[in-house]
Amino acid sequence: MALAGRTAMWWARLRSPCPAASSLFLPPWMFAGPVACERLYSSRDKEKIDMSMYPVESIRNFSIIAHVDHGKSTLADRLLEITGTIAKTDQNKQVLDKLQVERERGITVKAQSASLFYSHEGVNYLLNLIDTPGHVDFSYEVSRSLSACQGVILVVDANEGIQAQTVANFYLAFEAQLAIIPVINKIDLKNADPERVEKQIEKLFDIPIHECIRISAKQGTNVEKVLQKVIEKIPPPQCNTADPLKALVFDSTFDHFRGVIANIALFGGEIQKGHKIVSAHTNKKYEVNEVGILTPNEQATHKLYAGQVGYLIAGMKEVTEAQIRDTLFLYKQPVEPLPGFKSAKPMVFAGMYPVAQTEYNNLKSALERLTLNDSSVTVHRDSSIALGAGWRLGFLGLLHMEVFNQRLEQEYNMSVILTAPTVPYKAVLSSEKLIKAYGKAEMTIINPAQFPDKFSVSEYLEPTVLGTIVTPHEYIGKIIALCQDHRAVQKEMLYIDEHRVMLKYLFPLNEIVVDFYDALKSLSSGYASFDYEDAGYQAADLVKMDILLNGNPVEELATIVHNDKAYATGKFLCERLKDAIPRQLFEIAIQAAIGKKIIARETLKAYRKNVVAKCYGGDITRRMKLLKRQAEGKKLMRKIGNVEVPRDAFIRVLKRQTDK
Amino acid sequence: WPYCRKRCSYCNFNKYVVPAVDEVAVGTCLVQETRTLLRLSQVQSITSVFFGGGTPSLASPRTIAAVLEAIAGAAQLPIGAEVTLEANPSSADTLRLAGFRAAGVNRLSIGVQSLDDAELLLLGREHTAAEARRAVEAARGLFPGQTSLDFIFGLPGQSRGTWARALEEALGLCDDHISLYQLTLERGTALAAQVWSGALPTPPQDFLADMYQTACTMLVAAGFRRYEVSNFARKGAFSTHNLSYWRAEQYIGVGPGAHGRFVPWGEGSHSREARIQTLEPDDWMREVQSQGHGTRKRVALSPLEQLEEVLALGLRTDEGITHERWGHFSPHLSLEAIFGVPGEAKTLEQQGWLVLDNGGLRCTWEGLALLDSLLPDLLCQLQR
């Protein structure tokens, strides 16, 4: 697993059926908080909370951002406890992580928003904790989350110090001009060195040392202080209940019984059941059925007011109707839509096929249901001669792809064939004919089969990312070599303290998609961390490499490669394929070619003897069974020219190497 | 005869190593089952009898004689009918062999396997090369022209050179029939486990092909005909019994785990059945005692399944499948009608692996060594 860690797809609450989750649901709603404020309602069914008790001035919207394993979920658990949102027990571990995949991987896949009630110096505050995805794959989602916030808690491990994701997340918050509360966590650990971490924070982020709060989320030390800082340092949202309704959809999930549940942040006005609202994006009109807050379970309220964060149910049937970044307003009272977030941009594409075509419909419905709760996956129908009908899916990154695949398996019991991941290349077309056919001059290539040849292209472009690596300095030499080997260009190198270095490199995205993270982890004994952000496109010397069997191209294995890497990739694919194709009655040349030029070759020799030695009375039954199975297998073989290729051969070739 | 004194490292047959065999009881059951099945088949005349195993030479000549008498009592057993017994060199001294001959056995198949003591050890055989030689001499004296020798090649560590020398020796020792089997690693055997765990090497594919070709060439030079993939004979000393398997004739299997293919007219059935007797000897005996036979499984073979067998087995022989035999199983669709039209067979014919002519359908000399690569294609064509 590359890029594993906590975090990932925060946001969006799980409502899909998930047996693993059911036992983890939160304890029943608390009637009286053990600490802090008085409850303002008696039960979830009878009396709804009166949200008008929380004017804009007493609202704080914030996120917690951190590197993997630095304690974000533990801090969230403590905040929920202190504010009486959940009962204080020893069982509260990753309360917000409910999926099997989250528990297994220790990452958050589906996030929770939670409204906390906290009384401070005689004022009742409404604190909305809006989780942010911290993972590299989801940086667009971080901006999405942050735009509903006015501040963040930046959590850094007192032992590990600043890591790559800490840096990436800090800059996102910084650029969004949010208030930042630095928190140094895990001070209870034996090797904790908060002073060193404070210095790093000062050096890298220019935050004065005295602003850092030293805490132990695990033991609860100083957590209360964090809440007070949230109130003091984070400004309330700038908006007015008297304005017309302006609600931002920042997430949506699908509930089989209630339809789409949209998470909204109110930037103006108020909203309640019975209101007629319009989507600025689709212009469709809806009637509001229910509004409420997330605690983190849904808690219906009479109304939601400007500055507040909650959910809305309004008879939307499909998740696509609640477009993330959409602005909702009252019917006949249109407002200027809020500036939208960048929409999810797939970084990695892969073909997904059912293991057998008979499973196609089952897989189709599983995909439909899962994408309802994960709208960042793009789905296009696709088909391959070898693998049959399937889809080409776009993911935010490899971790996203693996998590998605794992959820398909665990929650829908589907096993699928995933082809090698590829990144979205672009071609600037020069051929008038192609431009006309494609509709514009720049074409995005998500499937190597569509690669236009160089005579009709003025330039190929490849996506790049700006990678941040934080590492103990002893590994620098090896890491620099690794980066160079992956065609990366160094942009920055900075000692964040005496022992740690932060490196910034511009990487072609395809170079880090497959094995970069694993390689980095292994050569640094796990100490180096990595994060990346989108850095646009750059011109690249790309070629399409075909794999030929006795001169006939294998469409499924066509790949787009950088010219410099073509030879090594070609050689590797030929070797893999040689092991995956059984010997046949004739010799098979396995070649990698660019255009007409052969760049690598393996030869699979012909069978010279293939006949079972003994076949007498007692052997016949078994023998016939085997032969008939082979005959059946023949019918399923993909024929490329004369050559018969078992269906799983491609998969074995395309699969990411785990045994390298 | 399902019993052995020792388990060979390569063998996955249905066999049992037990301290003491109640030979009288087993013999009685063999006789009983023979009678029952012969009655069910309503076969009039028996062409050949084969005592296989296990190690049939561990049975006493008296038991063999009793079975043969039972056969002769239930059907015709012509004087010249081939009666073969499989023998291990370790239980094939002259006296014993003479006893078998007196019981009615007229052909002997000796499991020599190798003439190298180290190889015999690897195979888990309990005899030495010298014992094998003595057994062969004794057998040839008693069954002149009717002694067959079995050898195995492709053993771990065996080279093409050692195999060629072994063949020379085998040719010096043999009579007019010889079977050469490439070692097949069977699941569940000690040898396979050692090879698959990497403890023992196996000769590369190309070496095995060379070994086989060398053997064929040497035997042909010595006057033998490769009449089946692994069987060689001169002076017409074919195994009549084994040929009947490859020609898809009827056969009755008697004893634990034995397989048969016949039409049980006696049970009112009209279709050829694949039958398997109960594997475990004690269970089998109980069944024979209670119901006269230990048939555990009967499957009626459809016309297509019968043709599939005719094809897969017939092509193992050098004569292939004659038009006449095909016509016997497929009166309406000739070989020409199925394989003479454009399709897999034609392609294989063009590639030089197969021949379809007046003689029938058969493999070429080269094609025979590749039969298992041809059959799936041919079965596909047949099924259409």
Side-chain angles (χ1 to χ4, degrees):
Chain A
M1 221 329 276
L3 308 174
R6 305 169 52 95
T7 71
M9 293 208 26
W10 284 75
W11 284 113
R13 304 187 41 196
L14 168 78
R15 289 177 190 86
S16 63
C18 171
S22 56
S23 61
L24 303 170
F25 268 100
L26 302 177
W29 186 253
M30 307 277 306
F31 297 121
V35 202
C37 68
E38 262 177 48
R39 308 314 303 190
L40 298 154
Y41 49 88
S42 60
S43 90
R44 60 176 146 182
D45 293 324
K46 289 180 204 158
E47 203 176 311
K48 288 178 177 174
I49 313 166
D50 180 4
M51 294 304 287
S52 66
M53 308 235 345
Y54 298 96
V56 168
E57 310 82 69
S58 61
I59 297 173
R60 300 290 182 274
N61 296 326
F62 69 103
S63 289
I64 308 175
I65 54 179
H67 187 74
V68 157
D69 274 342
H70 280 196
K72 180 157 78 169
S73 294
T74 315
L75 178 58
D77 290 347
R78 285 305 89 74
L79 295 180
L80 294 178
E81 283 172 11
I82 289 180
T83 55
T85 309
I86 58 172
K88 194 169 187 174
T89 74
D90 294 339
Q91 264 70 57
N92 292 334
K93 280 179 185 157
Q94 279 181 264
V95 167
L96 302 178
D97 296 339
K98 293 175 182 171
L99 296 176
Q100 189 182 346
V101 57
E102 294 176 320
R103 297 261 157 182
E104 282 174 7
R105 293 182 177 227
I107 60 172
T108 305
V109 173
K110 297 293 273 185
Q112 308 275 348
S113 300
S115 293
L116 322 175
F117 303 94
Y118 186 67
S119 174
H120 179 59
E121 291 177 357
V123 181
N124 287 330
Y125 288 94
L126 170 63
L127 309 179
N128 294 309
L129 165 56
I130 299 169
D131 279 335
T132 63
H135 193 268
V136 290
D137 281 6
F138 309 105
S139 59
Y140 99 95
E141 280 190 75
V142 177
S143 3
R144 170 173 113 185
S145 316
L146 295 186
S147 63
C149 298
Q150 287 75 45
V152 296
I153 300 173
L154 176 66
V155 179
V156 186
D157 184 307
N159 176 24
E160 289 190 1
I162 288 179
Q163 295 294 318
Q165 269 173 259
T166 323
V167 179
N169 285 328
F170 168 80
Y171 282 108
L172 284 169
F174 186 73
E175 281 161 20
Q177 299 182 318
L178 303 183
I180 295 167
I181 300 169
V183 162
I184 297 170
N185 189 22
K186 306 197 191 181
I187 54 165
D188 55 307
L189 290 185
K190 213 174 74 193
N191 295 324
D193 188 353
E195 268 153 52
R196 183 175 63 93
V197 179
E198 281 167 358
K199 280 184 199 149
Q200 289 178 354
I201 290 175
E202 184 175 44
K203 177 160 188 189
L204 217 51
F205 304 146
D206 212 12
I207 297 175
I209 286 174
H210 70 265
E211 288 191 18
C212 295
I213 311 171
R214 297 182 185 186
I215 69 161
S216 163
K218 195 174 153 198
Q219 298 177 345
T221 321
N222 277 343
V223 174
E224 192 100 28
K225 210 163 153 189
V226 175
L227 276 178
Q228 288 156 13
K229 278 278 182 201
V230 165
I231 290 165
E232 286 166 20
K233 277 193 69 181
I234 298 175
Q238 299 288 315
C239 50
N240 198 332
T241 301
D243 289 346
L245 172 69
K246 194 182 217 182
L248 176 75
V249 178
F250 62 82
D251 194 17
S252 64
T253 49
F254 185 79
D255 181 284
H256 285 278
F257 302 105
R258 298 191 287 175
V260 173
I261 300 175
N263 290 11
I264 53 170
L266 266 68
F267 282 74
E270 54 180 62
I271 192 165
Q272 70 182 73
K273 183 176 175 177
H275 275 171
K276 305 255 189 317
I277 54 163
V278 176
S279 146
H281 181 70
T282 61
N283 261 323
K284 277 194 189 166
K285 199 174 99 179
Y286 301 94
E287 185 177 326
V288 177
N289 298 330
E290 183 180 326
V291 293
I293 56 169
L294 298 158
T295 57
N297 290 337
E298 285 133 26
Q299 182 78 28
T301 61
H302 293 293
K303 285 185 178 184
L304 286 177
Y305 299 90
Q308 296 176 354
V309 170
Y311 70 92
L312 161 145
I313 300 171
M316 295 174 179
K317 297 277 182 296
E318 285 179 40
V319 140
T320 49
E321 290 179 79
Q323 274 285 332
I324 288 152
R325 92 195 193 196
D326 196 359
T327 303
L328 305 174
F329 54 83
L330 284 178
Y331 182 56
K332 289 192 171 161
Q333 293 183 44
V335 295
E336 181 72 16
L338 291 152
F341 308 108
K342 279 186 282 178
S343 64
K345 198 169 101 187
M347 303 280 261
V348 173
F349 290 87
M352 180 176 276
Y353 297 88
V355 171
Q357 280 297 308
T358 48
E359 288 290 298
Y360 180 87
N361 282 325
N362 292 337
L363 180 55
K364 186 171 170 229
S365 91
L367 271 180
E368 279 166 0
R369 278 182 289 159
L370 189 51
T371 47
L372 280 179
N373 271 325
D374 185 354
S375 51
S376 51
V377 177
T378 63
V379 182
H380 298 280
R381 268 228 299 270
D382 199 1
S383 70
S384 141
I385 300 168
L387 303 169
W391 299 267
R392 187 146 279 264
L393 304 186
F395 300 97
L396 299 168
L398 265 198
L399 175 66
H400 184 207
M401 175 170 120
E402 295 194 8
V403 163
F404 187 85
N405 193 22
Q406 196 175 342
R407 291 190 65 195
L408 265 182
E409 280 179 19
Q410 288 177 345
E411 293 166 33
Y412 296 92
N413 197 25
M414 294 301 307
S415 63
V416 298
I417 295 161
L418 262 185
T419 66
T422 157
V423 302
Y425 292 104
K426 283 183 178 176
V428 181
L429 303 173
S430 60
S431 139
E432 284 303 324
K433 216 174 110 190
L434 268 183
I435 293 172
K436 216 171 158 191
Y438 193 71
K440 53 185 186 206
E442 194 177 88
M443 129 179 218
T444 303
I445 309 153
I446 60 170
N447 187 340
Q450 310 159 337
F451 192 74
D453 78 40
K454 65 178 174 197
F455 302 110
S456 43
V457 165
S458 59
E459 193 179 32
Y460 293 112
L461 303 170
E462 65 179 340
T464 62
V465 293
L466 185 64
T468 302
I469 298 166
V470 175
T471 176
H473 62 87
E474 58 262 42
Y475 303 111
I476 282 190
K478 285 188 199 165
I479 289 174
I480 289 176
L482 178 73
C483 292
Q484 282 169 352
D485 194 40
H486 284 76
R487 299 195 288 126
V489 179
Q490 197 181 91
K491 293 288 176 192
E492 196 184 329
M493 179 160 149
L494 175 74
Y495 272 81
I496 58 176
D497 60 25
E498 312 86 83
H499 305 293
R500 286 176 181 272
V501 183
M502 181 181 78
L503 298 158
K504 292 213 175 199
Y505 273 88
L506 187 69
F507 286 91
L509 176 60
N510 82 314
E511 292 288 339
I512 58 160
V513 159
V514 176
D515 57 359
F516 179 80
Y517 186 76
D518 293 334
L520 179 71
K521 278 286 172 195
S522 89
L523 66 73
S524 66
S525 309
Y527 285 114
S529 62
F530 180 62
D531 199 337
Y532 62 81
E533 59 191 285
D534 188 4
Y537 278 75
Q538 69 180 16
D541 185 7
L542 300 176
V543 289
K544 180 186 171 195
M545 186 173 68
D546 288 308
I547 299 294
L548 312 176
L549 291 181
N550 281 352
N552 298 300
V554 184
E555 173 223 334
E556 295 73 13
L557 295 180
T559 25
I560 298 168
V561 285
H562 196 268
N563 213 349
D564 296 348
K565 292 279 181 107
Y567 173 74
T569 313
K571 189 167 178 299
F572 171 76
L573 282 177
C574 288
E575 283 168 3
R576 276 265 181 130
L577 200 52
K578 186 185 175 183
D579 293 335
I581 300 178
R583 278 181 154 202
Q584 297 178 26
L585 290 168
F586 40 83
E587 188 172 288
I588 300 168
I590 304 167
Q591 296 166 310
I594 294 170
K596 290 206 161 64
K597 192 175 147 217
I598 305 295
I599 56 164
R601 175 185 171 126
E602 290 287 325
T603 304
L604 183 62
K605 288 212 250 169
Y607 255 135
R608 287 180 49 217
K609 180 172 189 288
N610 180 28
V611 62
V612 74
K614 287 190 173 191
C615 192
Y616 298 104
D619 307 311
I620 294 169
T621 304
R622 188 166 73 133
R623 186 82 208 120
M624 291 312 298
K625 219 179 247 173
L626 182 69
L627 282 172
K628 279 195 251 187
R629 203 164 57 229
Q630 287 174 348
E632 281 306 306
K634 283 254 167 191
K635 293 173 190 166
L636 295 174
M637 294 259 195
R638 161 95 155 101
K639 264 210 152 186
I640 295 160
N642 261 349
V643 183
E644 284 172 335
V645 185
R647 281 177 161 246
D648 66 347
F650 296 119
I651 299 138
R652 275 191 274 162
V653 170
L654 291 172
K655 249 192 195 157
R656 288 173 57 210
Q657 304 152 265
T658 44
D659 50 348
K660 190 170 143 187
Chain B
W1 192 258
Y3 302 104
C4 287
R5 268 209 296 257
K6 185 169 186 276
R7 227 171 268 277
C8 298
S9 64
Y10 58 93
C11 175
N12 73 335
F13 277 11
N14 177 45
K15 62 192 182 286
Y16 300 84
V17 179
V18 292
V21 178
D22 183 352
E23 192 171 339
V24 177
V26 178
T28 311
C29 287
L30 285 172
V31 165
Q32 174 63 52
E33 189 173 50
T34 303
R35 286 195 184 121
T36 313
L37 295 181
L38 273 171
R39 194 180 63 239
L40 284 180
S41 74
Q42 297 192 352
V43 164
Q44 303 296 308
S45 175
I46 298 296
T47 326
S48 61
V49 182
F50 196 102
F51 292 94
T55 313
S57 54
L58 289 177
S60 73
R62 212 176 322 116
T63 303
I64 302 296
V67 174
L68 287 171
E69 275 158 31
I71 295 171
Q76 265 190 43
L77 183 60
I79 304 291
E82 178 184 288
V83 179
T84 308
L85 180 103
E86 273 188 340
N88 267 358
S90 47
S91 51
D93 56 88
T94 312
L95 194 65
R96 211 172 165 74
L97 294 184
F100 288 129
R101 190 175 69 167
V105 172
N106 58 21
R107 187 173 179 274
L108 214 63
S109 171
I110 304 181
V112 177
Q113 315 311 5
S114 168
L115 290 170
D116 178 290
D117 284 342
E119 287 181 1
L120 288 168
L121 203 66
L122 180 68
L123 292 171
R125 303 291 291 178
E126 54 169 7
H127 63 265
T128 61
E131 281 170 318
R133 282 199 191 83
R134 279 199 294 279
V136 174
E137 296 301 339
R140 289 189 64 181
L142 287 163
F143 305 93
Q146 292 295 319
T147 300
S148 173
L149 309 189
D150 284 2
F151 287 93
I152 298 180
F153 70 93
L155 302 177
Q158 194 176 35
S159 74
R160 287 171 290 188
T162 44
W163 171 236
R165 280 192 295 282
L167 268 174
E168 290 283 358
E169 252 190 286
L171 279 170
L173 187 66
C174 75
D175 196 16
D176 294 331
H177 191 281
I178 200 163
S179 304
L180 304 177
Y181 299 113
Q182 180 183 314
L183 176 68
T184 308
L185 292 170
E186 301 283 1
R187 239 195 340 217
T189 63
L191 196 61
Q194 280 175 283
V195 169
W196 291 334
S197 73
L200 286 175
T202 41
Q205 287 287 322
D206 283 343
F207 279 28
L208 295 169
D210 287 342
M211 287 179 182
Y212 181 65
Q213 288 308 330
T214 307
C216 293
T217 313
M218 285 174 69
L219 284 161
V220 168
F224 284 86
R225 181 177 139 193
R226 178 180 64 164
Y227 73 102
E228 193 260 359
V229 172
S230 305
N231 285 279
F232 302 80
R234 62 185 168 193
K235 301 176 195 164
F238 313 113
S239 165
T240 308
H241 188 86
N242 288 340
L243 269 175
S244 68
Y245 292 134
W246 302 319
R247 288 173 177 165
E249 284 163 12
Q250 295 200 89
Y251 53 93
I252 296 168
V254 177
H259 288 241
R261 290 280 188 284
F262 62 88
V263 184
W265 295 104
E267 287 181 332
S269 170
H270 300 282
S271 54
R272 187 176 162 104
E273 286 184 3
R275 290 173 156 249
I276 306 175
Q277 309 309 108
T278 295
L279 284 173
E280 209 284 316
D282 292 339
D283 295 343
W284 169 80
M285 278 195 276
R286 265 193 294 280
E287 286 164 33
V288 174
Q289 282 156 5
S290 67
Q291 55 190 8
H293 66 84
T295 304
R296 179 51 67 96
K297 197 177 171 194
R298 320 170 28 184
V299 181
L301 296 170
S302 70
L304 175 64
E305 286 172 315
Q306 292 182 39
L307 285 175
E308 285 170 345
E309 290 195 1
V310 170
L311 188 72
L313 296 164
L315 287 178
R316 291 184 66 85
T317 63
D318 67 342
E319 66 179 9
I321 303 147
T322 60
H323 292 291
E324 188 198 343
R325 190 162 328 108
W326 186 263
H328 179 72
F329 286 92
S330 172
H332 305 300
L333 271 176
S334 68
L335 278 175
E336 282 288 349
I338 296 169
F339 299 112
V341 296
E344 287 90 337
K346 268 271 178 267
T347 310
L348 295 172
E349 206 175 344
Q350 279 153 14
Q351 291 170 349
W353 312 122
L354 208 62
V355 180
L356 176 60
D357 63 10
N358 291 338
L361 181 70
R362 64 185 176 279
C363 290
T364 59
W365 175 266
E366 294 78 19
L368 196 60
L370 293 165
L371 179 62
D372 290 355
S373 291
L374 314 182
L375 282 173
D377 275 335
L378 295 175
L379 287 175
C380 284
Q381 194 173 10
L382 175 64
Q383 284 162 9
R384 285 202 302 270

